[in-house]
Structures are given as C-alpha cells and as structure tokens.
Amino acid sequence: MYKAIRNLALAGYCSISMLAITQSSNVTLPQDKGPDKINVSTYSPDLQKGYKVFTEKCSKCHTIARPINTTMTRVEWERYVKRMMHKPNSGINDSQGKTIFEFLAYDQENRKDKNPSAFFKSLSDEEIEKLKAQQH
Ligand code: HEC
C-alpha cells in the first residue's frame, strides 16, 4: 500500500518536471550571455528575411543569444531546428523551419566557421541536465 502511494507521488512529480522541460528552457547556458544580435547588413535580402523569422521564432523559450552563439555543423543545425520545431507549442511550421535552417546554415559557414573559438559548442542532454541541477 505504502509503496503504491509513493509510486503515484513519484509519477506525479516526474510528469510535472517533464512539463517544465518541454514548455520552456529553464536553465541559463553560457551561450545565453553572449551577444544577442547579428549584423546581417551584408547578407542577401532573402537571408535578411530569414534572420527576422529566426529572431521572432527562436526567442520564444530561451534567449536569441543562445542560437546566435552556438556553433554546430550544417547537419546538426538541420536536426536541431527540427528538434526545436517539434517541442510542444513551438509555433514554428515546416516552411518557417526551412527558412530558419537556411539562415543558420549560411550564418554558420560565413560568420561562425571563420572564428570558431568565439562560439560555444552545443551541449549534450546530460550536460544540460547537470547545469539544471546546479542552478536549482
Ligand atoms: C518551444 C520552446 C523552444 C523553442 C520555440 C525553441 N527552443 Fe531551443 N531550446 C529549448 C529547450 C527546452 C532547450 C534545451 C535546454 C533546456 O532544457 O533548457 C533548447 C536548447 C537550444 C539550444 C542549445 C543547444 C545546446 O545544447 O547547447 C539551441 C542552440 C537552441 N535551442 C536553438 C533554437 C533555435 C535555432 C530555435 C528556433 C528554430 C529554437 N531553439 C526554438 C526550447 C525551445
């Protein structure tokens, strides 16, 4: 009997913390503290439009500085944009996701790859969990 109640309590606790994880980012990553703008004046008009979609859509759950200061390969960005799109209430549709990916892929190659040490590598899920544990 006691065990059943404890399991129930545990299940309740877990679903609440899962909700917190999926709703919005409740942890500060090193990237969040970096610059929160990109000078896109030399980018093509299409990419400048993409930058606008990116800043609107990717700042909903965490700082826009986070993706601005994260460096990844093109393939990783493709995967990452999909992962962010599929979070509950992301508000990002397929066509916006594609526009954002094209912007990020260009920006990676033409800005980040030229000065890789100025940016942060993305963290693994385990590393993010560790940071969360430290900050709570
Ligand atoms: C629905 C909420 C939500 C939206 C919208 C969202 N993200 Fe995220 N993002 C998260 C969460 C949650 C994490 C994981 C960290 C955490 O749990 O705090 C995260 C983490 C990240 C990271 C950190 C990677 C790392 O491991 O260091 C990057 C980069 C990122 N997001 C980019 C983006 C981009 C680009 C977009 C727009 C396409 C976007 N995010 C939109 C919720 C969101």
Side-chain angles (χ1 to χ4, degrees):
M1 182 57 192
Y2 171 70
K3 209 174 162 196
I5 292 170
R6 197 189 55 186
N7 285 344
L8 213 74
L10 257 174
Y13 174 77
C14 289
S15 55
I16 289 165
S17 54
M18 280 305 290
L19 242 158
I21 292 168
T22 49
Q23 285 303 309
S24 74
S25 176
N26 52 6
V27 66
T28 305
L29 302 184
Q31 297 95 300
D32 294 322
K33 296 180 192 136
D36 62 357
K37 278 187 190 69
I38 303 172
N39 178 357
V40 293
S41 60
T42 59
Y43 291 18
S44 73
D46 271 356
L47 287 163
Q48 293 191 19
K49 276 188 214 146
Y51 176 63
K52 210 163 164 268
V53 180
F54 160 69
T55 53
E56 280 167 15
K57 295 291 174 182
C58 303
S59 58
K60 186 179 168 192
C61 311
H62 47 67
T63 64
I64 196 64
R66 183 176 293 186
I68 286 181
N69 300 297
T70 302
T71 175
M72 294 190 198
T73 65
R74 190 186 166 88
V75 176
E76 284 167 340
W77 276 123
E78 189 168 11
R79 241 185 273 135
Y80 221 92
V81 170
K82 284 188 184 144
R83 174 172 160 177
M84 294 291 128
M85 273 172 66
H86 293 135
K87 284 188 183 292
N89 305 317
S90 77
I92 305 170
N93 67 28
D94 281 359
S95 120
Q96 291 158 340
K98 190 166 175 280
T99 303
I100 294 169
F101 163 68
E102 275 159 13
F103 172 79
L104 285 168
Y106 178 89
D107 183 61
Q108 179 65 46
E109 211 173 298
N110 292 276
R111 185 178 67 100
K112 292 171 177 165
D113 286 349
K114 290 188 175 143
N115 190 14
S117 63
F119 304 103
F120 295 89
K121 286 223 166 79
S122 63
L123 300 172
S124 66
D125 293 350
E126 292 74 29
E127 286 168 321
I128 289 179
E129 286 310 313
K130 257 192 221 157
L131 276 175
K132 281 187 182 165
Q134 281 167 15
Q135 288 172 23
H136 281 264

